[in-house]
């Protein structure tokens, strides 16, 4: 969701800015632009649509002069996608330029005030208010004016700002939305995320909320709103630039699907020591863990689906009540939680606004928040009481796959860890879980080997108009993810239903040729799911069954079957999700969809 880059140095800025924006495309965008200082004025080049428009207009940035600049990919919130609404925005006289990620919640009253003072606007965005305020309140000091204006803003923002009177500075400010500063040799950078600058430097500062960075060619100073200096520590990015490249795959999504054995391995193995699950990131004593009366899980989208799987697993293994909420609903439902409730938030990006705010609400009510996060140093990771990092590496495709799998792995680890502390797991079962953890990456790999078979099934069904996913218990939780994966990248209408619920209304939609994907991996309820399969087949549905090896009788029910290896109940989702991800990928591929950047979606959803 909106990408920011900035450059100050001795090289031409625009080619770097455009290259950086290309690496942020995964965030989702509908327009793009750059602004540089050419020595006489701030020049802006921007265009609606994909980056290729901006590249063509600027000859890949080569025909835009200047060694200082900012760039932006916009994901529309206020004002439709258009050239006028694209960033950077200039102030009336062209003295200031701003790029922004986030939402200025009080932009309407601020805009009214400026309008009353005769300031006219050329876009419908909330961002333009910021740049016009900067010019309106300008007192000759770039820094002071920025401090004055940001203290008037409510909402979330990462801002990159240039001022004609301070041609050798970029100011970066952050509240709520992510922003990093890349530290170079005689040149420095800003960016929304690491991939944008990784081919230039591995040394970064992460700006924290309300910090203001004044960035010059050979210095970076970070101050607070009272102009006190803030000592920042340098973070060295360990992962390689190749991790953020496609590595020979046509799409990031396929690369990331294939990386799942490693993501699960890297997340699980460092946490199993001498045959015991060790989660020393959780800052709670065994007594505190035993004291919790309830678990509260909050997340969005696929991360929420991990939460639904977790509810089934935790309730079964820990015998504690678990509530799982979509984060955007949690905050406003006046939840009944307190210090006896353990909160678990799940987020790949660690920047999802809904999840962050819901976590804050839970913390305000006294609950300890454990965050399961992939992006190190992200906002949710910094604000949680305990953080368990999924070690999936950078995830670029908008549709999550390897982060989802790594999140599931953390849920299993927590279930075993808590189950042991609560005395709910026998030693025999404990050993079995640990040994299943060890074989999980290999079992996932064996499913990836079946991708040609799954591709053939996708070819048969990619023209379907409606696809239903059904299952019971953890298979139901998993069907939610299967359905989301398919619809978000292939645009085929799809719904996930608890298999037993279908007959209470939705079965009326089943007709000749409707594809129903039946998850029948959970042995305890296998027979019941098969009865539901018969119900839909009687009404004309074609069925694709996903079941465990050994269930050969499935051959009598349908010709479309994907067998997954056997494992313990709780780890089945890690295996059954893989064919559904591959199916969604191949269906979208046959349909010619933009797999890594599906329409209307953003990787990191930093608005409420
Ligand atoms: C779907 C997908 C989204 C995210 C959701 C939460 O493929 O990726 O549904 O799961 O937007 O994002 P995070 O995990 O970054 O909080």
């Amino acid at each position: 969701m909106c990408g920011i880059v900035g450059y100050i140095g001795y090289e031409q800025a625009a080619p770097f800015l455009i290259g950086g924006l290309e690496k942020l495309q995964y965030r989702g965008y509908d327009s793009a632009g750059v602004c540089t200082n050419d020595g006489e004025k701030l020049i802006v080049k921007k265009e609606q649509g994909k980056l290729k428009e901006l590249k063509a207009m600027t000859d890949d940035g080569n025909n835009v002069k200047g060694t200082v600049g900012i760039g932006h990919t916009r994901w529309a919130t206020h004002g439709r996608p258009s050239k006028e609404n694209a960033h950077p925005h200039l102030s009336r006289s062209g003295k200031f330029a701003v790029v922004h990620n986030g939402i200025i919640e009080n932009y309407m009253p601020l805009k009214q005030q400026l309008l009353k003072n005769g300031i006219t606007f050329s876009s419908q965005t909330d961002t333009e208010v910021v740049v016009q305020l900067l010019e309106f309140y300008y007192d000759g000091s770039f820094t002071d004016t920025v401090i004055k204006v940001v203290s008037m803003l409510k909402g979330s923002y990462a801002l990159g700002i240039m001022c004609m009177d301070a041609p050798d500075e970029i100011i970066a400010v952050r509240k709520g939305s992510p922003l990093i500063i890349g530290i170079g040799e005689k040149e420095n950078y800003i960016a929304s995320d690491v991939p944008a600058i990784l081919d230039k430097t591995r040394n970064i500062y992460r700006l924290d909320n309300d910090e203001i960075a004044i960035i010059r060619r050979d210095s970076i100073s970070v101050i607070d709103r009272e102009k006190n200096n803030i000592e920042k520590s340098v973070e060295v990015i360990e992962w390689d630039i190749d991790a953020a490249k496609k590595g020979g795959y046509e799409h990031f999504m396929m690369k990331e699907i294939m990386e799942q054995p490693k993501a699960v391995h890297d997340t699980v193995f460092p946490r199993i020591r001498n045959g015991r699950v060790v989660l020393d990131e959780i800052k709670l004593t065994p007594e505190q863990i035993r004291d919790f009366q309830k678990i509260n899980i909050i997340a969005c989208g696929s991360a929420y689906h991990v939460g639904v799987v977790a509810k089934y697993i935790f309730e079964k293994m820990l015998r504690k009540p678990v509530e799982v909420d979509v984060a955007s609903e949690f905050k406003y439902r006046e939840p009944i939680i307190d210090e006896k409730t353990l909160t678990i938030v799940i987020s790949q990006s660690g920047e999802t606004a809904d999840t962050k705010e819901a976590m804050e609400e839970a913390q305000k009510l006294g609950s300890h928040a454990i965050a399961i996060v992939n992006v190190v140093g992200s906002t949710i990771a910094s604000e949680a009481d305990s953080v368990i990092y999924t070690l999936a590496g950078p995830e670029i495709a908008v549709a999550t796959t390897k982060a989802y799998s790594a999140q599931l792995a953390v849920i299993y680890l927590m279930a075993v860890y808590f189950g042991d502390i609560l005395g709910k797991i026998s030693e025999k079962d404990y050993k079995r879980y640990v040994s299943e953890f060890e074989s999980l990456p290999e079992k996932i790999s064996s499913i990836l080997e079946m991708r040609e078979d799954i591709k053939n099934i996708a070819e048969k069904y990619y023209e379907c108009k409606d696809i239903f996913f059904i299952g019971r218990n953890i298979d139901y939780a998993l069907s939610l993810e299967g359905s989301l994966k398919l619809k978000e990248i292939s645009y085929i209408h799809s719904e996930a239903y608890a298999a037993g619920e279908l007959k209470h209304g939705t079965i009326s939609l089943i007709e000749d040729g409707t594809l129903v994907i039946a998850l029948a991996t959970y042995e305890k309820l296998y027979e019941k799911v098969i009865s539901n399969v018969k119900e839909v087949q009687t009404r004309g549905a074609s069925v694709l069954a996903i079941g465990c090896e050994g269930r050969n009788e499935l051959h009598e029910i349908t010709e479309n079957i994907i067998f997954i290896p056997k494992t313990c109940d709780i780890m089945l989702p890690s295996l059954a999700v893989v064919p559904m991800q591959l199916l969604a990928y191949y269906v979208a591929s046959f349909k010619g969809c933009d797999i890594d950047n599906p329409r209307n979606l953003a990787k990191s959803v930093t608005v409420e």
Side-chain angles (χ1 to χ4, degrees):
M1 187 160 276
C2 294
I4 289 179
V5 286
Y7 173 87
I8 182 160
Y10 293 97
E11 305 283 321
Q12 194 179 1
F16 166 78
L17 296 174
I18 291 177
L21 292 177
E22 279 188 310
K23 293 178 195 110
L24 296 179
Q25 287 187 83
Y26 71 90
R27 298 171 71 84
Y29 71 105
D30 45 56
S31 52
V34 292
C35 171
T36 58
N37 182 337
D38 73 355
E40 286 167 18
K41 60 182 181 320
L42 298 178
I43 29 174
V44 170
K45 301 281 177 195
K46 54 186 181 177
E47 200 45 274
Q48 188 189 337
K50 292 291 173 196
L51 266 171
K52 64 176 175 0
E53 313 293 342
L54 184 67
K55 289 175 82 173
M57 174 197 258
T58 61
D59 181 24
D60 290 343
N62 289 313
N63 65 18
V64 186
K65 283 209 290 186
T67 56
V68 184
I70 50 180
H72 190 265
T73 42
R74 172 173 188 253
W75 191 83
T77 58
H78 293 60
R80 66 193 167 79
S82 68
K83 184 169 178 165
E84 309 79 68
N85 289 333
H87 302 208
H89 289 284
L90 283 181
S91 61
R92 245 186 345 159
S93 74
K95 190 186 280 295
F96 287 92
V98 164
V99 287
H100 167 219
N101 172 20
I103 288 185
I104 308 299
E105 284 167 4
N106 60 338
Y107 85 104
M108 274 312 267
L110 293 170
K111 187 168 178 173
Q112 292 303 336
Q113 190 196 326
L114 289 167
L115 286 168
K116 272 194 212 136
N117 282 284
I119 313 294
T120 51
F121 284 76
S122 53
S123 78
Q124 291 95 49
T125 63
D126 51 336
T127 307
E128 195 185 345
V129 166
V130 180
V131 79
Q132 302 295 11
L133 282 171
L134 285 165
E135 181 159 320
F136 186 74
Y137 285 106
Y138 185 53
D139 60 6
S141 158
F142 184 18
T143 306
D144 289 352
T145 310
V146 169
I147 292 176
K148 182 176 178 97
V149 168
V150 293
S151 46
M152 299 165 76
L153 306 179
K154 294 209 174 92
S156 59
Y157 45 84
L159 296 166
I161 312 172
M162 293 170 68
C163 173
M164 208 40 223
D165 288 355
D168 300 316
E169 285 178 3
I170 294 175
I171 295 191
V173 194
R174 181 239 153 129
K175 186 176 180 204
S177 304
L179 201 61
I180 58 162
I181 300 168
I183 309 161
E185 284 282 319
K186 297 195 180 140
E187 56 183 27
N188 293 307
Y189 326 88
I190 61 170
S192 297
D193 200 359
V194 174
I197 55 161
L198 206 53
D199 52 5
K200 291 279 186 186
T201 182
R202 292 177 167 276
N203 297 340
I204 66 158
Y205 293 136
R206 276 183 204 275
L207 269 195
D208 285 324
N209 280 342
D210 295 324
E211 289 180 345
I212 297 156
I214 299 143
I215 303 150
R216 303 192 181 94
R217 287 179 176 82
D218 49 12
S219 72
I220 298 164
S221 42
V222 180
I223 55 171
D224 64 16
R225 290 191 186 169
E226 278 72 48
K227 294 191 17 189
N228 301 308
N229 274 319
I230 298 172
E231 277 300 314
K232 299 288 291 179
S233 39
V234 178
E235 181 181 328
V236 181
I237 302 299
E238 302 289 352
W239 47 270
D240 203 70
I241 183 76
D242 289 344
K245 287 186 179 162
K246 284 187 199 158
Y249 290 96
E250 199 178 340
H251 299 100
F252 280 112
M253 183 175 175
M254 181 51 94
K255 175 180 176 249
E256 289 161 7
I257 289 174
M258 298 301 286
E259 282 172 350
Q260 290 181 108
K262 178 168 171 13
V264 171
H265 173 280
D266 291 356
T267 300
V268 169
F269 277 51
R271 291 165 172 132
I272 298 184
R273 294 176 216 152
N274 302 323
R276 307 307 291 179
V277 173
V278 182
L279 287 179
D280 43 18
E281 304 102 312
I282 298 179
K283 297 188 191 120
L284 292 167
T285 61
E287 291 68 41
Q288 285 172 308
I289 290 168
R290 280 191 278 270
D291 240 25
F292 285 122
Q293 317 236 298
K294 190 171 88 173
I295 298 173
N296 165 44
I297 304 177
I298 316 166
C300 302
S302 295
Y304 165 76
H305 299 156
V306 172
V308 181
V309 173
K311 177 180 165 71
Y312 284 103
I313 294 177
F314 288 166
E315 288 192 337
K316 180 175 167 169
M317 286 179 60
L318 311 181
R319 304 311 298 151
K320 299 247 186 200
V322 179
E323 284 178 7
V324 50
D325 276 86
V326 166
S328 54
E329 283 299 310
F330 173 83
K331 191 173 159 193
Y332 301 107
R333 77 161 165 89
E334 298 181 31
I336 305 170
I337 63 171
D338 55 22
E339 63 285 352
K340 294 269 183 206
T341 309
L342 174 66
T343 293
I344 300 172
V345 301
I346 310 170
S347 174
Q348 186 285 128
S349 62
E351 300 294 346
T352 304
D354 288 324
T355 309
K356 179 179 84 95
E357 284 165 26
M359 179 176 85
E360 282 164 5
E361 182 68 16
Q363 286 172 312
K364 248 187 258 159
L365 295 168
S367 182
H368 181 102
I370 301 179
I372 302 172
V373 178
N374 196 42
V375 177
V376 177
S378 56
T379 308
I380 292 174
S382 327
E383 291 178 9
D385 300 299
S386 302
V387 191
I388 305 179
Y389 282 114
T390 47
L391 300 170
E395 193 178 62
I396 309 290
V398 165
T400 182
T401 51
K402 62 174 179 170
Y404 172 91
S405 287
Q407 289 162 354
L408 280 180
V410 172
I411 293 299
Y412 310 151
L413 287 168
M414 288 174 94
V416 175
Y417 179 73
F418 287 155
D420 185 36
I421 290 173
L422 297 174
K424 301 283 186 199
I425 304 183
S426 67
E427 207 39 43
K428 185 167 156 247
D429 285 346
Y430 195 103
K431 286 209 174 93
R432 173 146 183 263
Y433 287 130
V434 169
S435 112
E436 282 301 323
F437 274 130
E438 280 161 4
S439 57
L440 203 52
E442 209 175 295
K443 288 183 180 171
I444 296 174
S445 296
S446 73
I447 302 169
L448 293 170
E449 293 297 308
M450 303 189 310
R451 54 192 187 284
E452 273 308 305
D453 301 341
I454 296 164
K455 188 173 177 185
N456 292 339
I457 296 175
E459 192 170 13
K460 241 160 99 181
Y461 292 108
Y462 77 94
E463 284 171 322
C464 276
K465 295 276 167 283
D466 299 289
I467 299 183
F468 288 83
F469 287 75
I470 60 170
R472 289 172 180 257
N473 198 279
I474 46 174
D475 279 336
Y476 164 61
L478 201 55
S479 71
L480 296 169
E481 177 60 5
S483 171
L484 177 63
K485 214 76 310 166
L486 181 83
K487 71 184 127 199
E488 68 180 334
I489 61 166
S490 75
Y491 316 143
I492 294 178
H493 167 252
S494 165
E495 292 192 40
Y497 259 83
E501 179 64 13
L502 208 59
K503 59 185 174 297
H504 296 289
T506 311
I507 201 163
S508 64
L509 292 174
I510 305 291
E511 54 186 12
D512 278 348
T514 309
L515 178 63
V516 174
I517 299 179
L519 287 139
T521 70
Y522 186 57
E523 288 292 306
K524 212 165 152 189
L525 296 171
Y526 173 83
E527 309 292 347
K528 294 208 181 291
V529 173
I530 296 306
S531 303
N532 301 127
V533 166
K534 296 273 168 56
E535 284 163 8
V536 293
Q537 281 183 320
T538 313
R539 284 149 186 93
S542 305
V543 168
L544 162 62
I546 301 180
C548 289
E549 276 165 2
R551 282 291 184 187
N552 292 330
E553 66 273 23
L554 281 173
H555 287 293
E556 283 149 40
I557 293 170
T558 175
E559 56 177 19
N560 306 308
I561 310 163
I562 298 164
F563 287 113
I564 61 166
K566 283 188 177 153
T567 181
C568 54
D569 280 355
I570 65 164
M571 296 185 202
L572 283 166
S574 289
L575 305 183
V577 74
V578 180
M580 295 195 292
Q581 296 166 338
L582 287 166
L583 186 77
Y585 175 88
Y586 286 122
V587 166
S589 165
F590 281 119
K591 289 192 71 186
C593 299
D594 185 352
I595 293 181
D596 282 339
N597 297 292
R599 67 187 180 206
N600 306 337
L601 293 178
K603 181 69 182 161
S604 168
V605 185
T606 49
V607 296
E608 208 187 329

